[in-house]
Amino acid sequence: MFTTRPEIHGTFGAAASTHWLASQSAMRILELGGNAFDAAFTGGMVLQVVEPHMNGPGGDVPMIYHDASSGSTRVICGQGPLPAAATIQAYKDQGFDLVPGTGLLAAVVPGAFGAWMRMLRDMGSMKLADLMEVPIKYARKGFPITPGVCRTIAASEDTFRKYWPGSEKVYLRDGVPNPGTLFRNKKLAKTWKRIVQEATEMSSDRADQIDHAIHIFYKGFVAEEIDRFCREKELPDVSGKPHKALLTGDDLHGWSPRYEAPVTYDYQGHTICKCGPWSQGPVLLQSLALLRDVDVAAMDPNGPDFVHTVAEAMKLSYADREVFYGDPDFVDVPLDTLLSDDYNAARRTLIGDSASNDFRPGSVDGPGWVFDYDAASNREPEIDLDSEIIGFGSRETNVLKDTPDSPHHRSDTCHIDVVDKHGNMISVTPSGGWLQSSPVISSLGFCLGSRAQMAWLDEKSPSAMAPGRRPRTTLTPSFVLRDGEPYMAFGTPGGDQQDQWQLQMLLRHIHHGMNLQEAIDAPAFHIDHFASSFYPRAASPGQLVLEDRFGSKTFAELNRRGHKVFGAGDWSEGRLSAIAVEDGIIKAAANAREMQGYAVGR
């Protein structure tokens, strides 16, 4: 099979991510004697600098990792909760029936910084100052900026100049940057340098230094600046009107990341691990459960039977996501039933020869939340581009007909995987805090996230707006065990499409024998059948978006079966990266789409 590059093999270690600088920075840490957790930390901090339209310090991050010393596979939840003042009534009192996709009203507690630091403290081996050296240097001295960042800044220029002065100071200091030129965020470099310096001065002990860094961010000068900004600033968002944040310093003071057991499903000799139903991760597991007794191996992986069957399975699992998933600290999510053989055997009978255009969630002790699918289907999937405040950053993936040259090219997310020679392995999907989604806090050099837009303003929804809840995120790293041992870590940006693209990759790897690079490079597709997790929460019943490389015969047959098929270009779907270990050989691969992702290793 044609691939854009070889699958990398080695025995020492490897890193794969959505940006070559992050991959290489992580590999440098491995070469210096750091472990996979040290390397992932540095790679993640570099991603915050070089992909600021994809993630930032004010965003969020889930992680799945295997610690070789303990033999445990765990999740770290870096999804910050909704503020204490974030009630349904608080938004309705301001005239909202949906949470705005941009601006300060969408801000939640920044979870990324705390999660990265907690992971580093507990599993890393190197000191904070050494691991932050390269990220701070890129922020202070500059990095070659990619076309995607430039397009996003250009698209946001009017908003920054008219309404968000902090963003203008950072991203338009010398006008819209040109691709390939050096770009600096000296404000962010100053913030990070101060955190590292203060933490180092407080203690010579590595773990104590990291604890001090966490304290500085959530209770020290960073929290104070965030609190002041949220109290004093009233700035426009996608509604076109100015609003203040509901987030306060007290919300930051009381939060810390947490460890959890992954949700798992056994499939074809593999144990697939995902984050809990505060994420969308279990939809991949339920899709596998729906396909359990289907002869996927007999299907052409680029043919209409494969696309149709997988798409119809995803329609069912995503429908269940909408009516059952939420923060399990607040709602009872019936995961045991949703992943059970009996439940999915019954659901599997709904997959017929023709495409379904209906919203068909299952029933578990009643119908679950009665979701208004007609309302979502009637919403326009595009932001109103005639509005002065263009809603950039309200979606985590490119929408239909977006192209790299489109004036409304959307943001995305990041991903990084690392494995070391000791058998430590980690999969991380950082996101949020996008430069285009919220105004930059001038004194800090970064903006807050906008994950609150994923909470429904309907108290009957399992993902309803409520103080302290984790909004149901789309971020969903993946991890695979074989015989209890770490086998593969992988993931992709893409919002609601993340588990769709990961599912296709996994099926082709398991059933069709594709190596990591082949499975990543293979033509991909996605459905928009369900309500988007992002403002304005639109749905497109029956819509199936495919890369044109599937070919005219596959397009024609899928149209005949009733799918609403759209071509999205030859190389438009997904930004996967992956690492694996098999028989002592380390393997790594990364996506060539958008010409940024790279895997490195030896």
Side-chain angles (χ1 to χ4, degrees):
M1 176 183 171
F2 167 79
T3 60
T4 57
R5 57 187 67 158
E7 181 185 68
I8 289 173
H9 292 177
T11 58
F12 176 78
S17 82
T18 48
H19 197 291
W20 68 87
L21 290 178
S23 299
Q24 188 56 47
S25 297
M27 191 66 201
R28 173 181 177 270
I29 296 301
L30 293 180
E31 298 284 4
L32 290 174
N35 63 24
F37 307 112
D38 298 313
F41 175 86
T42 291
M45 295 300 103
V46 169
L47 284 173
Q48 291 183 3
V49 178
V50 301
E51 294 199 287
H53 60 322
M54 308 289 192
N55 77 137
D60 24 60
V61 59
M63 309 176 181
I64 308 180
Y65 69 89
H66 183 86
D67 177 16
S69 62
S70 65
S72 63
T73 303
R74 302 282 287 169
V75 167
I76 299 179
C77 176
Q79 176 53 63
L82 295 157
T87 64
I88 291 174
Q89 196 60 46
Y91 287 89
K92 290 190 172 181
D93 286 346
Q94 299 187 67
F96 291 106
D97 57 5
L98 292 172
V99 179
T102 63
L104 298 177
L105 276 176
V108 300
V109 173
F113 187 89
W116 279 117
M117 289 289 171
R118 182 76 175 270
M119 180 273 290
L120 179 64
R121 185 197 70 185
D122 294 347
M123 269 87 68
S125 63
M126 295 178 63
K127 287 196 172 183
L128 180 62
D130 296 329
L131 296 173
M132 287 297 294
E133 178 186 355
V134 168
I136 290 174
K137 188 175 292 185
Y138 277 135
R140 181 170 55 88
K141 292 191 173 182
F143 63 93
I145 194 167
T146 58
V149 187
C150 296
R151 287 192 299 267
T152 304
I153 294 172
S156 307
E157 181 179 9
D158 286 348
T159 297
F160 290 177
R161 294 198 186 282
K162 293 179 182 178
Y163 306 110
W164 295 356
S167 302
E168 181 183 18
K169 290 176 183 177
V170 170
Y171 291 105
L172 295 170
R173 186 186 63 229
D174 300 314
V176 175
N178 293 315
T181 58
L182 285 180
F183 183 84
R184 302 169 180 84
N185 186 343
K186 293 184 178 181
K187 293 281 189 179
L188 178 59
K190 184 177 179 181
T191 297
W192 276 349
K193 187 174 181 180
R194 180 177 172 184
I195 291 174
V196 172
Q197 183 174 343
E198 290 187 8
T200 302
E201 290 173 351
M202 288 178 179
S203 174
S204 60
D205 179 77
R206 174 188 166 277
D208 286 347
Q209 289 176 356
I210 297 172
D211 279 336
H212 285 310
I214 295 171
H215 179 89
I216 292 165
F217 191 96
Y218 290 95
K219 296 181 180 180
F221 82 88
V222 176
E224 292 171 359
E225 291 298 322
I226 290 174
D227 179 75
R228 182 181 299 110
F229 187 83
C230 291
R231 282 188 290 104
E232 295 178 355
K233 298 297 181 181
E234 189 172 22
L235 299 171
D237 50 43
V238 71
S239 72
K241 298 178 180 178
H243 295 98
K244 285 188 174 183
L246 298 176
L247 185 71
T248 69
D250 287 340
D251 294 312
L252 275 71
H253 300 344
W255 181 81
S256 63
R258 54 197 264 188
Y259 289 95
E260 298 179 355
V263 180
T264 63
Y265 185 78
D266 292 334
Y267 182 82
Q268 298 288 322
H270 301 77
T271 299
I272 320 301
C273 306
K274 299 292 288 185
C275 298
W278 50 268
S279 75
Q280 69 175 348
V283 299
L284 187 148
L285 305 182
Q286 189 179 349
S287 295
L288 291 173
L290 287 162
L291 296 168
R292 187 184 191 104
D293 293 332
V294 175
D295 192 359
V296 176
M299 299 175 179
D300 176 355
N302 296 332
D305 287 343
F306 178 83
V307 176
H308 169 78
T309 304
V310 174
E312 292 302 301
M314 293 191 303
K315 288 178 184 178
L316 298 174
S317 60
Y318 272 84
D320 282 350
R321 178 196 77 165
E322 210 56 57
V323 301
F324 293 117
Y325 287 20
D327 186 343
D329 291 344
F330 289 80
V331 295
D332 183 15
V333 183
L335 270 186
D336 288 344
T337 299
L338 295 177
L339 299 179
S340 68
D341 289 343
D342 289 345
Y343 179 81
N344 286 289
R347 296 281 277 156
R348 193 179 302 121
T349 64
L350 298 176
I351 301 175
D353 293 332
S354 299
S356 170
N357 291 329
D358 297 325
F359 182 71
R360 300 184 292 178
S363 178
V364 180
D365 298 327
W369 179 38
V370 181
F371 172 64
D372 192 347
Y373 188 60
D374 289 339
S377 302
N378 290 325
R379 293 191 191 106
E380 288 294 327
E382 296 285 355
I383 304 297
D384 180 8
L385 296 178
D386 293 327
S387 169
E388 282 193 313
I389 303 298
I390 300 176
F392 288 94
S394 61
R395 296 171 71 95
E396 207 167 22
T397 184
N398 299 337
V399 296
L400 184 65
K401 297 185 180 179
D402 276 355
T403 68
D405 298 320
S406 169
H408 51 282
H409 188 69
R410 302 294 180 203
S411 68
D412 219 315
T413 297
C414 309
H415 187 80
I416 184 168
D417 305 299
V418 183
V419 62
D420 65 27
K421 62 184 178 182
H422 308 293
N424 299 304
M425 186 183 290
I426 185 167
S427 175
V428 188
T429 307
S431 189
W434 307 307
L435 69 89
Q436 66 276 28
S437 70
S438 193
V440 166
I441 302 171
S442 295
S443 58
L444 299 176
F446 65 84
C447 60
L448 297 170
S450 55
R451 196 63 62 179
Q453 66 183 289
M454 297 185 172
W456 289 97
L457 300 182
D458 181 344
E459 64 276 0
K460 296 179 181 178
S461 168
S463 54
M465 174 70 67
R469 280 193 184 185
R470 290 171 286 184
R472 192 198 71 209
T473 182
T474 53
L475 304 178
T476 172
S478 293
F479 203 96
V480 182
L481 303 171
R482 274 184 179 174
D483 300 321
E485 295 298 320
Y487 170 61
M488 181 164 65
F490 63 106
T492 181
D496 292 306
Q497 282 73 57
Q498 287 181 30
D499 278 313
Q500 300 189 48
W501 293 325
Q502 292 181 78
L503 174 65
Q504 295 162 51
M505 174 192 166
L506 186 63
L507 291 171
R508 286 163 166 160
H509 180 64
I510 291 175
H511 289 292
H512 301 104
M514 294 186 188
N515 69 31
L516 301 183
Q517 194 63 53
E518 289 171 337
I520 288 172
D521 284 345
F525 61 91
H526 78 266
I527 60 170
D528 292 315
H529 184 76
F530 46 82
S532 169
S533 297
F534 299 86
Y535 180 91
R537 312 305 293 266
S540 299
Q543 183 163 288
L544 177 62
V545 181
L546 295 90
E547 289 184 330
D548 292 335
R549 290 182 293 138
F550 276 102
S552 59
K553 290 184 178 179
T554 295
F555 272 73
E557 175 59 16
L558 291 168
N559 271 311
R560 187 192 69 79
R561 295 190 188 193
H563 295 279
K564 299 175 184 177
V565 183
F566 294 87
D570 285 345
W571 297 90
S572 57
E573 294 280 299
R575 291 176 65 209
L576 286 149
S577 65
I579 54 175
V581 178
E582 187 172 18
D583 298 327
I585 303 296
I586 292 172
K587 304 176 180 182
N591 168 65
R593 297 167 178 88
E594 296 193 19
M595 300 175 70
Q596 278 189 211
Y598 266 91
V600 294
R602 69 170 178 89

